[in-house]
Amino acid sequence: MLRPNAALDCQLLLGQREKLPVRLLAFPLPPKIAAERRRKARADRDKRLRHSENYLYLLGWNIFLTNAPQEQLPLATAATLYRLRWRVEIIFKAWKSHLGLHHVSQLGRHQVEVLVYGLLLFAVLMHDHTPLASEPIRGGPSRPPSPPLSLLRVAQFFGSWLLALLLAELHPSDLQQRMRQQLHAHCRYDRRRRKNYVDLRSGILS
């Protein structure tokens, strides 16, 4: 069903006993990327892996399964949207590494539930009250826009310094201003040629 230089969008049933209706989407990769994938597969040091010609052919494709209907997820949008998949992993990494979501002491069931719900509420407040997905901060007339905020760095800031700021006895408006200053001073993406999440998302939504 996979033809050179042609995408595929078809319906099929997945599973042996219970059949799940899904869409199969397949996009041919640029020849240079496909060739690099195949080169790495052939150079695999594990001699037990004897890749078939069929396997090597499939390395020239990106193949997806989805239950989203075509009117909700057009074929052309699926491949672009897939580039943002790692954002979910970054969110979980931020919660575990910097908000301590995976550190649960030996407590009773009810204490653990309270702790987990409290940490999740803290994570929601962090996402809701910081401009994580805002447009890049604009500079002056002769200065380029500042990079947007990094989710991992914002989570690290909240996990390390929020309690200190709350105990600083600042007026709520001063606290908000001080927090915003610190976020923009220490939590931005580094300037780099590779696009960050905000740049990719903005390109997709536009």
PDB file of all heavy atoms in Angstrom, residues 31-67:
ATOM      1  N   PRO A  31      14.548  11.645   0.802  1.00  0.00           N
ATOM      2  CA  PRO A  31      15.540  10.589   0.531  1.00  0.00           C
ATOM      3  C   PRO A  31      16.768  10.657   1.435  1.00  0.00           C
ATOM      4  O   PRO A  31      17.293   9.614   1.851  1.00  0.00           O
ATOM      5  CB  PRO A  31      15.906  10.836  -0.936  1.00  0.00           C
ATOM      6  CG  PRO A  31      14.708  11.516  -1.522  1.00  0.00           C
ATOM      7  CD  PRO A  31      14.148  12.368  -0.423  1.00  0.00           C
ATOM      8  N   LYS A  32      17.239  11.850   1.768  1.00  0.00           N
ATOM      9  CA  LYS A  32      18.433  11.976   2.596  1.00  0.00           C
ATOM     10  C   LYS A  32      18.202  11.417   3.991  1.00  0.00           C
ATOM     11  O   LYS A  32      19.060  10.709   4.552  1.00  0.00           O
ATOM     12  CB  LYS A  32      18.860  13.445   2.673  1.00  0.00           C
ATOM     13  CG  LYS A  32      20.159  13.673   3.411  1.00  0.00           C
ATOM     14  CD  LYS A  32      20.560  15.142   3.359  1.00  0.00           C
ATOM     15  CE  LYS A  32      21.878  15.371   4.093  1.00  0.00           C
ATOM     16  NZ  LYS A  32      22.272  16.813   4.041  1.00  0.00           N
ATOM     17  N   ILE A  33      17.038  11.708   4.582  1.00  0.00           N
ATOM     18  CA  ILE A  33      16.725  11.210   5.928  1.00  0.00           C
ATOM     19  C   ILE A  33      16.512   9.705   5.900  1.00  0.00           C
ATOM     20  O   ILE A  33      16.973   8.972   6.786  1.00  0.00           O
ATOM     21  CB  ILE A  33      15.484  11.936   6.486  1.00  0.00           C
ATOM     22  CG1 ILE A  33      15.775  13.430   6.647  1.00  0.00           C
ATOM     23  CG2 ILE A  33      15.067  11.328   7.820  1.00  0.00           C
ATOM     24  CD1 ILE A  33      14.599  14.231   7.153  1.00  0.00           C
ATOM     25  N   ALA A  34      15.805   9.224   4.883  1.00  0.00           N
ATOM     26  CA  ALA A  34      15.582   7.778   4.771  1.00  0.00           C
ATOM     27  C   ALA A  34      16.900   7.030   4.612  1.00  0.00           C
ATOM     28  O   ALA A  34      17.113   5.967   5.221  1.00  0.00           O
ATOM     29  CB  ALA A  34      14.665   7.502   3.583  1.00  0.00           C
ATOM     30  N   ALA A  35      17.806   7.567   3.816  1.00  0.00           N
ATOM     31  CA  ALA A  35      19.104   6.924   3.621  1.00  0.00           C
ATOM     32  C   ALA A  35      19.904   6.880   4.914  1.00  0.00           C
ATOM     33  O   ALA A  35      20.583   5.887   5.206  1.00  0.00           O
ATOM     34  CB  ALA A  35      19.881   7.653   2.530  1.00  0.00           C
ATOM     35  N   GLU A  36      19.833   7.918   5.712  1.00  0.00           N
ATOM     36  CA  GLU A  36      20.553   7.940   6.988  1.00  0.00           C
ATOM     37  C   GLU A  36      19.984   6.914   7.956  1.00  0.00           C
ATOM     38  O   GLU A  36      20.715   6.247   8.684  1.00  0.00           O
ATOM     39  CB  GLU A  36      20.490   9.345   7.588  1.00  0.00           C
ATOM     40  CG  GLU A  36      21.189   9.500   8.930  1.00  0.00           C
ATOM     41  CD  GLU A  36      22.686   9.247   8.863  1.00  0.00           C
ATOM     42  OE1 GLU A  36      23.249   9.229   7.742  1.00  0.00           O
ATOM     43  OE2 GLU A  36      23.298   9.077   9.932  1.00  0.00           O
ATOM     44  N   ARG A  37      18.650   6.785   7.996  1.00  0.00           N
ATOM     45  CA  ARG A  37      18.033   5.761   8.843  1.00  0.00           C
ATOM     46  C   ARG A  37      18.524   4.359   8.441  1.00  0.00           C
ATOM     47  O   ARG A  37      18.864   3.534   9.294  1.00  0.00           O
ATOM     48  CB  ARG A  37      16.513   5.829   8.712  1.00  0.00           C
ATOM     49  CG  ARG A  37      15.835   6.923   9.513  1.00  0.00           C
ATOM     50  CD  ARG A  37      14.340   6.733   9.429  1.00  0.00           C
ATOM     51  NE  ARG A  37      13.598   7.701  10.233  1.00  0.00           N
ATOM     52  CZ  ARG A  37      12.278   7.677  10.395  1.00  0.00           C
ATOM     53  NH1 ARG A  37      11.565   6.737   9.793  1.00  0.00           N
ATOM     54  NH2 ARG A  37      11.667   8.590  11.132  1.00  0.00           N
ATOM     55  N   ARG A  38      18.546   4.100   7.153  1.00  0.00           N
ATOM     56  CA  ARG A  38      18.954   2.773   6.686  1.00  0.00           C
ATOM     57  C   ARG A  38      20.435   2.529   6.932  1.00  0.00           C
ATOM     58  O   ARG A  38      20.853   1.408   7.236  1.00  0.00           O
ATOM     59  CB  ARG A  38      18.609   2.633   5.207  1.00  0.00           C
ATOM     60  CG  ARG A  38      17.096   2.594   4.966  1.00  0.00           C
ATOM     61  CD  ARG A  38      16.725   2.656   3.517  1.00  0.00           C
ATOM     62  NE  ARG A  38      15.269   2.628   3.352  1.00  0.00           N
ATOM     63  CZ  ARG A  38      14.590   3.431   2.527  1.00  0.00           C
ATOM     64  NH1 ARG A  38      15.250   4.332   1.791  1.00  0.00           N
ATOM     65  NH2 ARG A  38      13.284   3.338   2.441  1.00  0.00           N
ATOM     66  N   ARG A  39      21.240   3.574   6.820  1.00  0.00           N
ATOM     67  CA  ARG A  39      22.675   3.424   7.082  1.00  0.00           C
ATOM     68  C   ARG A  39      22.911   3.026   8.532  1.00  0.00           C
ATOM     69  O   ARG A  39      23.710   2.123   8.828  1.00  0.00           O
ATOM     70  CB  ARG A  39      23.404   4.740   6.779  1.00  0.00           C
ATOM     71  CG  ARG A  39      24.929   4.663   6.928  1.00  0.00           C
ATOM     72  CD  ARG A  39      25.554   6.027   6.964  1.00  0.00           C
ATOM     73  NE  ARG A  39      25.161   6.773   8.147  1.00  0.00           N
ATOM     74  CZ  ARG A  39      25.695   6.591   9.360  1.00  0.00           C
ATOM     75  NH1 ARG A  39      26.640   5.656   9.545  1.00  0.00           N
ATOM     76  NH2 ARG A  39      25.293   7.315  10.383  1.00  0.00           N
ATOM     77  N   LYS A  40      22.193   3.671   9.453  1.00  0.00           N
ATOM     78  CA  LYS A  40      22.347   3.345  10.873  1.00  0.00           C
ATOM     79  C   LYS A  40      21.867   1.920  11.155  1.00  0.00           C
ATOM     80  O   LYS A  40      22.448   1.208  11.990  1.00  0.00           O
ATOM     81  CB  LYS A  40      21.576   4.343  11.721  1.00  0.00           C
ATOM     82  CG  LYS A  40      22.185   5.742  11.741  1.00  0.00           C
ATOM     83  CD  LYS A  40      21.384   6.673  12.640  1.00  0.00           C
ATOM     84  CE  LYS A  40      22.016   8.054  12.696  1.00  0.00           C
ATOM     85  NZ  LYS A  40      21.238   8.991  13.568  1.00  0.00           N
ATOM     86  N   ALA A  41      20.787   1.499  10.505  1.00  0.00           N
ATOM     87  CA  ALA A  41      20.266   0.151  10.719  1.00  0.00           C
ATOM     88  C   ALA A  41      21.269  -0.895  10.233  1.00  0.00           C
ATOM     89  O   ALA A  41      21.510  -1.909  10.905  1.00  0.00           O
ATOM     90  CB  ALA A  41      18.929  -0.011  10.004  1.00  0.00           C
ATOM     91  N   ARG A  42      21.868  -0.669   9.086  1.00  0.00           N
ATOM     92  CA  ARG A  42      22.844  -1.635   8.549  1.00  0.00           C
ATOM     93  C   ARG A  42      24.127  -1.664   9.369  1.00  0.00           C
ATOM     94  O   ARG A  42      24.817  -2.685   9.416  1.00  0.00           O
ATOM     95  CB  ARG A  42      23.165  -1.288   7.098  1.00  0.00           C
ATOM     96  CG  ARG A  42      21.995  -1.488   6.134  1.00  0.00           C
ATOM     97  CD  ARG A  42      22.452  -1.348   4.697  1.00  0.00           C
ATOM     98  NE  ARG A  42      21.370  -1.590   3.744  1.00  0.00           N
ATOM     99  CZ  ARG A  42      20.674  -0.627   3.131  1.00  0.00           C
ATOM    100  NH1 ARG A  42      20.973   0.651   3.363  1.00  0.00           N
ATOM    101  NH2 ARG A  42      19.708  -0.927   2.277  1.00  0.00           N
ATOM    102  N   ALA A  43      24.448  -0.543  10.024  1.00  0.00           N
ATOM    103  CA  ALA A  43      25.677  -0.466  10.815  1.00  0.00           C
ATOM    104  C   ALA A  43      25.480  -0.929  12.254  1.00  0.00           C
ATOM    105  O   ALA A  43      26.406  -0.833  13.060  1.00  0.00           O
ATOM    106  CB  ALA A  43      26.208   0.969  10.806  1.00  0.00           C
ATOM    107  N   ASP A  44      24.301  -1.423  12.587  1.00  0.00           N
ATOM    108  CA  ASP A  44      24.033  -1.889  13.948  1.00  0.00           C
ATOM    109  C   ASP A  44      25.008  -2.999  14.314  1.00  0.00           C
ATOM    110  O   ASP A  44      25.193  -3.965  13.563  1.00  0.00           O
ATOM    111  CB  ASP A  44      22.590  -2.394  14.051  1.00  0.00           C
ATOM    112  CG  ASP A  44      22.133  -2.500  15.494  1.00  0.00           C
ATOM    113  OD1 ASP A  44      22.848  -3.128  16.307  1.00  0.00           O
ATOM    114  OD2 ASP A  44      21.069  -1.943  15.828  1.00  0.00           O
ATOM    115  N   ARG A  45      25.651  -2.873  15.471  1.00  0.00           N
ATOM    116  CA  ARG A  45      26.679  -3.831  15.877  1.00  0.00           C
ATOM    117  C   ARG A  45      26.100  -5.151  16.371  1.00  0.00           C
ATOM    118  O   ARG A  45      26.834  -6.133  16.524  1.00  0.00           O
ATOM    119  CB  ARG A  45      27.557  -3.208  16.966  1.00  0.00           C
ATOM    120  CG  ARG A  45      28.374  -2.016  16.475  1.00  0.00           C
ATOM    121  CD  ARG A  45      29.273  -1.493  17.576  1.00  0.00           C
ATOM    122  NE  ARG A  45      30.080  -0.368  17.114  1.00  0.00           N
ATOM    123  CZ  ARG A  45      30.969   0.279  17.867  1.00  0.00           C
ATOM    124  NH1 ARG A  45      31.161  -0.103  19.136  1.00  0.00           N
ATOM    125  NH2 ARG A  45      31.659   1.292  17.378  1.00  0.00           N
ATOM    126  N   ASP A  46      24.819  -5.162  16.683  1.00  0.00           N
ATOM    127  CA  ASP A  46      24.196  -6.393  17.151  1.00  0.00           C
ATOM    128  C   ASP A  46      23.995  -7.320  15.952  1.00  0.00           C
ATOM    129  O   ASP A  46      23.093  -7.130  15.134  1.00  0.00           O
ATOM    130  CB  ASP A  46      22.849  -6.085  17.820  1.00  0.00           C
ATOM    131  CG  ASP A  46      22.290  -7.292  18.549  1.00  0.00           C
ATOM    132  OD1 ASP A  46      22.756  -8.421  18.279  1.00  0.00           O
ATOM    133  OD2 ASP A  46      21.387  -7.119  19.386  1.00  0.00           O
ATOM    134  N   LYS A  47      24.838  -8.331  15.834  1.00  0.00           N
ATOM    135  CA  LYS A  47      24.808  -9.220  14.673  1.00  0.00           C
ATOM    136  C   LYS A  47      23.546 -10.086  14.643  1.00  0.00           C
ATOM    137  O   LYS A  47      23.233 -10.718  13.627  1.00  0.00           O
ATOM    138  CB  LYS A  47      26.049 -10.119  14.663  1.00  0.00           C
ATOM    139  CG  LYS A  47      27.365  -9.342  14.597  1.00  0.00           C
ATOM    140  CD  LYS A  47      27.424  -8.443  13.364  1.00  0.00           C
ATOM    141  CE  LYS A  47      28.748  -7.704  13.280  1.00  0.00           C
ATOM    142  NZ  LYS A  47      28.811  -6.799  12.102  1.00  0.00           N
ATOM    143  N   ARG A  48      22.834 -10.146  15.779  1.00  0.00           N
ATOM    144  CA  ARG A  48      21.613 -10.943  15.785  1.00  0.00           C
ATOM    145  C   ARG A  48      20.504 -10.266  14.991  1.00  0.00           C
ATOM    146  O   ARG A  48      19.506 -10.900  14.637  1.00  0.00           O
ATOM    147  CB  ARG A  48      21.153 -11.156  17.233  1.00  0.00           C
ATOM    148  CG  ARG A  48      22.112 -12.003  18.074  1.00  0.00           C
ATOM    149  CD  ARG A  48      21.711 -11.986  19.532  1.00  0.00           C
ATOM    150  NE  ARG A  48      21.760 -10.628  20.080  1.00  0.00           N
ATOM    151  CZ  ARG A  48      21.405 -10.311  21.328  1.00  0.00           C
ATOM    152  NH1 ARG A  48      20.965 -11.266  22.148  1.00  0.00           N
ATOM    153  NH2 ARG A  48      21.486  -9.072  21.757  1.00  0.00           N
ATOM    154  N   LEU A  49      20.652  -8.948  14.763  1.00  0.00           N
ATOM    155  CA  LEU A  49      19.638  -8.222  14.007  1.00  0.00           C
ATOM    156  C   LEU A  49      19.947  -8.324  12.515  1.00  0.00           C
ATOM    157  O   LEU A  49      20.936  -7.773  12.037  1.00  0.00           O
ATOM    158  CB  LEU A  49      19.614  -6.747  14.445  1.00  0.00           C
ATOM    159  CG  LEU A  49      19.234  -6.492  15.908  1.00  0.00           C
ATOM    160  CD1 LEU A  49      19.316  -5.009  16.217  1.00  0.00           C
ATOM    161  CD2 LEU A  49      17.833  -7.010  16.203  1.00  0.00           C
ATOM    162  N   ARG A  50      19.127  -9.028  11.837  1.00  0.00           N
ATOM    163  CA  ARG A  50      19.250  -9.135  10.385  1.00  0.00           C
ATOM    164  C   ARG A  50      18.015  -8.484   9.771  1.00  0.00           C
ATOM    165  O   ARG A  50      16.983  -9.124   9.582  1.00  0.00           O
ATOM    166  CB  ARG A  50      19.378 -10.601   9.962  1.00  0.00           C
ATOM    167  CG  ARG A  50      20.660 -11.261  10.465  1.00  0.00           C
ATOM    168  CD  ARG A  50      20.778 -12.688   9.952  1.00  0.00           C
ATOM    169  NE  ARG A  50      22.026 -13.320  10.403  1.00  0.00           N
ATOM    170  CZ  ARG A  50      22.387 -14.556  10.112  1.00  0.00           C
ATOM    171  NH1 ARG A  50      21.588 -15.313   9.357  1.00  0.00           N
ATOM    172  NH2 ARG A  50      23.516 -15.045  10.562  1.00  0.00           N
ATOM    173  N   HIS A  51      18.138  -7.207   9.514  1.00  0.00           N
ATOM    174  CA  HIS A  51      16.987  -6.461   9.033  1.00  0.00           C
ATOM    175  C   HIS A  51      16.598  -6.917   7.637  1.00  0.00           C
ATOM    176  O   HIS A  51      17.447  -7.006   6.731  1.00  0.00           O
ATOM    177  CB  HIS A  51      17.304  -4.961   9.024  1.00  0.00           C
ATOM    178  CG  HIS A  51      17.666  -4.423  10.375  1.00  0.00           C
ATOM    179  ND1 HIS A  51      16.841  -4.546  11.463  1.00  0.00           N
ATOM    180  CD2 HIS A  51      18.769  -3.751  10.810  1.00  0.00           C
ATOM    181  CE1 HIS A  51      17.396  -3.973  12.508  1.00  0.00           C
ATOM    182  NE2 HIS A  51      18.576  -3.488  12.147  1.00  0.00           N
ATOM    183  N   SER A  52      15.320  -7.167   7.463  1.00  0.00           N
ATOM    184  CA  SER A  52      14.805  -7.580   6.167  1.00  0.00           C
ATOM    185  C   SER A  52      14.705  -6.377   5.232  1.00  0.00           C
ATOM    186  O   SER A  52      14.737  -5.218   5.654  1.00  0.00           O
ATOM    187  CB  SER A  52      13.427  -8.223   6.339  1.00  0.00           C
ATOM    188  OG  SER A  52      12.485  -7.251   6.798  1.00  0.00           O
ATOM    189  N   GLU A  53      14.548  -6.677   3.956  1.00  0.00           N
ATOM    190  CA  GLU A  53      14.373  -5.614   2.977  1.00  0.00           C
ATOM    191  C   GLU A  53      13.078  -4.852   3.238  1.00  0.00           C
ATOM    192  O   GLU A  53      12.991  -3.643   3.009  1.00  0.00           O
ATOM    193  CB  GLU A  53      14.380  -6.198   1.560  1.00  0.00           C
ATOM    194  CG  GLU A  53      15.752  -6.681   1.107  1.00  0.00           C
ATOM    195  CD  GLU A  53      16.773  -5.552   1.098  1.00  0.00           C
ATOM    196  OE1 GLU A  53      16.430  -4.430   0.679  1.00  0.00           O
ATOM    197  OE2 GLU A  53      17.923  -5.783   1.526  1.00  0.00           O
ATOM    198  N   ASN A  54      12.073  -5.562   3.730  1.00  0.00           N
ATOM    199  CA  ASN A  54      10.804  -4.910   4.053  1.00  0.00           C
ATOM    200  C   ASN A  54      10.997  -3.902   5.188  1.00  0.00           C
ATOM    201  O   ASN A  54      10.459  -2.784   5.147  1.00  0.00           O
ATOM    202  CB  ASN A  54       9.755  -5.956   4.442  1.00  0.00           C
ATOM    203  CG  ASN A  54       8.385  -5.327   4.665  1.00  0.00           C
ATOM    204  OD1 ASN A  54       7.851  -4.645   3.785  1.00  0.00           O
ATOM    205  ND2 ASN A  54       7.817  -5.551   5.834  1.00  0.00           N
ATOM    206  N   TYR A  55      11.778  -4.297   6.212  1.00  0.00           N
ATOM    207  CA  TYR A  55      12.057  -3.398   7.331  1.00  0.00           C
ATOM    208  C   TYR A  55      12.812  -2.160   6.849  1.00  0.00           C
ATOM    209  O   TYR A  55      12.492  -1.030   7.220  1.00  0.00           O
ATOM    210  CB  TYR A  55      12.868  -4.134   8.396  1.00  0.00           C
ATOM    211  CG  TYR A  55      13.321  -3.255   9.547  1.00  0.00           C
ATOM    212  CD1 TYR A  55      12.473  -2.972  10.610  1.00  0.00           C
ATOM    213  CD2 TYR A  55      14.602  -2.709   9.556  1.00  0.00           C
ATOM    214  CE1 TYR A  55      12.887  -2.175  11.657  1.00  0.00           C
ATOM    215  CE2 TYR A  55      15.023  -1.901  10.600  1.00  0.00           C
ATOM    216  CZ  TYR A  55      14.163  -1.642  11.642  1.00  0.00           C
ATOM    217  OH  TYR A  55      14.569  -0.831  12.675  1.00  0.00           O
ATOM    218  N   LEU A  56      13.809  -2.358   6.024  1.00  0.00           N
ATOM    219  CA  LEU A  56      14.592  -1.233   5.514  1.00  0.00           C
ATOM    220  C   LEU A  56      13.731  -0.318   4.653  1.00  0.00           C
ATOM    221  O   LEU A  56      13.907   0.909   4.673  1.00  0.00           O
ATOM    222  CB  LEU A  56      15.787  -1.752   4.710  1.00  0.00           C
ATOM    223  CG  LEU A  56      16.843  -2.531   5.514  1.00  0.00           C
ATOM    224  CD1 LEU A  56      17.897  -3.109   4.581  1.00  0.00           C
ATOM    225  CD2 LEU A  56      17.491  -1.637   6.566  1.00  0.00           C
ATOM    226  N   TYR A  57      12.791  -0.896   3.930  1.00  0.00           N
ATOM    227  CA  TYR A  57      11.896  -0.067   3.121  1.00  0.00           C
ATOM    228  C   TYR A  57      11.020   0.798   4.017  1.00  0.00           C
ATOM    229  O   TYR A  57      10.810   1.992   3.751  1.00  0.00           O
ATOM    230  CB  TYR A  57      11.034  -0.955   2.231  1.00  0.00           C
ATOM    231  CG  TYR A  57      10.080  -0.176   1.349  1.00  0.00           C
ATOM    232  CD1 TYR A  57      10.544   0.486   0.214  1.00  0.00           C
ATOM    233  CD2 TYR A  57       8.721  -0.100   1.646  1.00  0.00           C
ATOM    234  CE1 TYR A  57       9.679   1.205  -0.601  1.00  0.00           C
ATOM    235  CE2 TYR A  57       7.851   0.616   0.851  1.00  0.00           C
ATOM    236  CZ  TYR A  57       8.331   1.266  -0.277  1.00  0.00           C
ATOM    237  OH  TYR A  57       7.464   1.990  -1.074  1.00  0.00           O
ATOM    238  N   LEU A  58      10.516   0.228   5.111  1.00  0.00           N
ATOM    239  CA  LEU A  58       9.638   0.976   6.014  1.00  0.00           C
ATOM    240  C   LEU A  58      10.373   2.108   6.732  1.00  0.00           C
ATOM    241  O   LEU A  58       9.742   3.050   7.208  1.00  0.00           O
ATOM    242  CB  LEU A  58       9.009   0.034   7.045  1.00  0.00           C
ATOM    243  CG  LEU A  58       7.984  -0.965   6.501  1.00  0.00           C
ATOM    244  CD1 LEU A  58       7.505  -1.886   7.614  1.00  0.00           C
ATOM    245  CD2 LEU A  58       6.803  -0.238   5.878  1.00  0.00           C
ATOM    246  N   LEU A  59      11.695   2.023   6.831  1.00  0.00           N
ATOM    247  CA  LEU A  59      12.459   3.098   7.448  1.00  0.00           C
ATOM    248  C   LEU A  59      12.378   4.394   6.636  1.00  0.00           C
ATOM    249  O   LEU A  59      12.760   5.449   7.131  1.00  0.00           O
ATOM    250  CB  LEU A  59      13.930   2.690   7.610  1.00  0.00           C
ATOM    251  CG  LEU A  59      14.217   1.626   8.667  1.00  0.00           C
ATOM    252  CD1 LEU A  59      15.711   1.315   8.709  1.00  0.00           C
ATOM    253  CD2 LEU A  59      13.733   2.073  10.043  1.00  0.00           C
ATOM    254  N   GLY A  60      11.876   4.303   5.441  1.00  0.00           N
ATOM    255  CA  GLY A  60      11.710   5.491   4.615  1.00  0.00           C
ATOM    256  C   GLY A  60      10.380   6.181   4.821  1.00  0.00           C
ATOM    257  O   GLY A  60      10.030   7.084   4.042  1.00  0.00           O
ATOM    258  N   TRP A  61       9.671   5.787   5.879  1.00  0.00           N
ATOM    259  CA  TRP A  61       8.335   6.340   6.119  1.00  0.00           C
ATOM    260  C   TRP A  61       8.158   6.712   7.578  1.00  0.00           C
ATOM    261  O   TRP A  61       8.752   6.107   8.471  1.00  0.00           O
ATOM    262  CB  TRP A  61       7.258   5.307   5.751  1.00  0.00           C
ATOM    263  CG  TRP A  61       7.277   4.917   4.318  1.00  0.00           C
ATOM    264  CD1 TRP A  61       8.146   4.050   3.702  1.00  0.00           C
ATOM    265  CD2 TRP A  61       6.404   5.385   3.286  1.00  0.00           C
ATOM    266  NE1 TRP A  61       7.860   3.949   2.373  1.00  0.00           N
ATOM    267  CE2 TRP A  61       6.789   4.754   2.078  1.00  0.00           C
ATOM    268  CE3 TRP A  61       5.317   6.262   3.272  1.00  0.00           C
ATOM    269  CZ2 TRP A  61       6.138   4.991   0.881  1.00  0.00           C
ATOM    270  CZ3 TRP A  61       4.664   6.490   2.080  1.00  0.00           C
ATOM    271  CH2 TRP A  61       5.077   5.865   0.894  1.00  0.00           C
ATOM    272  N   ASN A  62       7.335   7.702   7.823  1.00  0.00           N
ATOM    273  CA  ASN A  62       6.774   7.956   9.148  1.00  0.00           C
ATOM    274  C   ASN A  62       5.347   7.428   9.127  1.00  0.00           C
ATOM    275  O   ASN A  62       4.532   7.847   8.286  1.00  0.00           O
ATOM    276  CB  ASN A  62       6.770   9.451   9.482  1.00  0.00           C
ATOM    277  CG  ASN A  62       8.085   9.902  10.086  1.00  0.00           C
ATOM    278  OD1 ASN A  62       8.867   9.092  10.581  1.00  0.00           O
ATOM    279  ND2 ASN A  62       8.339  11.199  10.050  1.00  0.00           N
ATOM    280  N   ILE A  63       5.026   6.514  10.038  1.00  0.00           N
ATOM    281  CA  ILE A  63       3.735   5.831  10.041  1.00  0.00           C
ATOM    282  C   ILE A  63       3.053   6.077  11.376  1.00  0.00           C
ATOM    283  O   ILE A  63       3.658   5.896  12.441  1.00  0.00           O
ATOM    284  CB  ILE A  63       3.914   4.316   9.794  1.00  0.00           C
ATOM    285  CG1 ILE A  63       4.626   4.096   8.450  1.00  0.00           C
ATOM    286  CG2 ILE A  63       2.568   3.609   9.808  1.00  0.00           C
ATOM    287  CD1 ILE A  63       4.958   2.646   8.166  1.00  0.00           C
ATOM    288  N   PHE A  64       1.797   6.500  11.338  1.00  0.00           N
ATOM    289  CA  PHE A  64       1.042   6.840  12.541  1.00  0.00           C
ATOM    290  C   PHE A  64      -0.289   6.097  12.560  1.00  0.00           C
ATOM    291  O   PHE A  64      -0.864   5.805  11.506  1.00  0.00           O
ATOM    292  CB  PHE A  64       0.742   8.343  12.603  1.00  0.00           C
ATOM    293  CG  PHE A  64       1.938   9.210  12.381  1.00  0.00           C
ATOM    294  CD1 PHE A  64       2.145   9.840  11.159  1.00  0.00           C
ATOM    295  CD2 PHE A  64       2.863   9.425  13.388  1.00  0.00           C
ATOM    296  CE1 PHE A  64       3.239  10.646  10.943  1.00  0.00           C
ATOM    297  CE2 PHE A  64       3.962  10.235  13.180  1.00  0.00           C
ATOM    298  CZ  PHE A  64       4.154  10.845  11.957  1.00  0.00           C
ATOM    299  N   LEU A  65      -0.754   5.810  13.772  1.00  0.00           N
ATOM    300  CA  LEU A  65      -2.107   5.318  13.993  1.00  0.00           C
ATOM    301  C   LEU A  65      -2.847   6.331  14.848  1.00  0.00           C
ATOM    302  O   LEU A  65      -2.302   6.831  15.836  1.00  0.00           O
ATOM    303  CB  LEU A  65      -2.088   3.960  14.699  1.00  0.00           C
ATOM    304  CG  LEU A  65      -1.569   2.761  13.904  1.00  0.00           C
ATOM    305  CD1 LEU A  65      -1.472   1.537  14.798  1.00  0.00           C
ATOM    306  CD2 LEU A  65      -2.470   2.473  12.714  1.00  0.00           C
ATOM    307  N   THR A  66      -4.085   6.629  14.491  1.00  0.00           N
ATOM    308  CA  THR A  66      -4.868   7.590  15.251  1.00  0.00           C
ATOM    309  C   THR A  66      -6.349   7.228  15.156  1.00  0.00           C
ATOM    310  O   THR A  66      -6.768   6.546  14.208  1.00  0.00           O
ATOM    311  CB  THR A  66      -4.660   9.026  14.723  1.00  0.00           C
ATOM    312  OG1 THR A  66      -5.460   9.939  15.470  1.00  0.00           O
ATOM    313  CG2 THR A  66      -5.043   9.135  13.245  1.00  0.00           C
ATOM    314  N   ASN A  67      -7.108   7.643  16.157  1.00  0.00           N
ATOM    315  CA  ASN A  67      -8.564   7.488  16.075  1.00  0.00           C
ATOM    316  C   ASN A  67      -9.242   8.822  15.780  1.00  0.00           C
ATOM    317  O   ASN A  67     -10.471   8.913  15.807  1.00  0.00           O
ATOM    318  CB  ASN A  67      -9.125   6.887  17.370  1.00  0.00           C
ATOM    319  CG  ASN A  67      -8.855   7.786  18.575  1.00  0.00           C
ATOM    320  OD1 ASN A  67      -8.148   8.781  18.482  1.00  0.00           O
ATOM    321  ND2 ASN A  67      -9.418   7.405  19.714  1.00  0.00           N
TER     322      ASN A  67
END
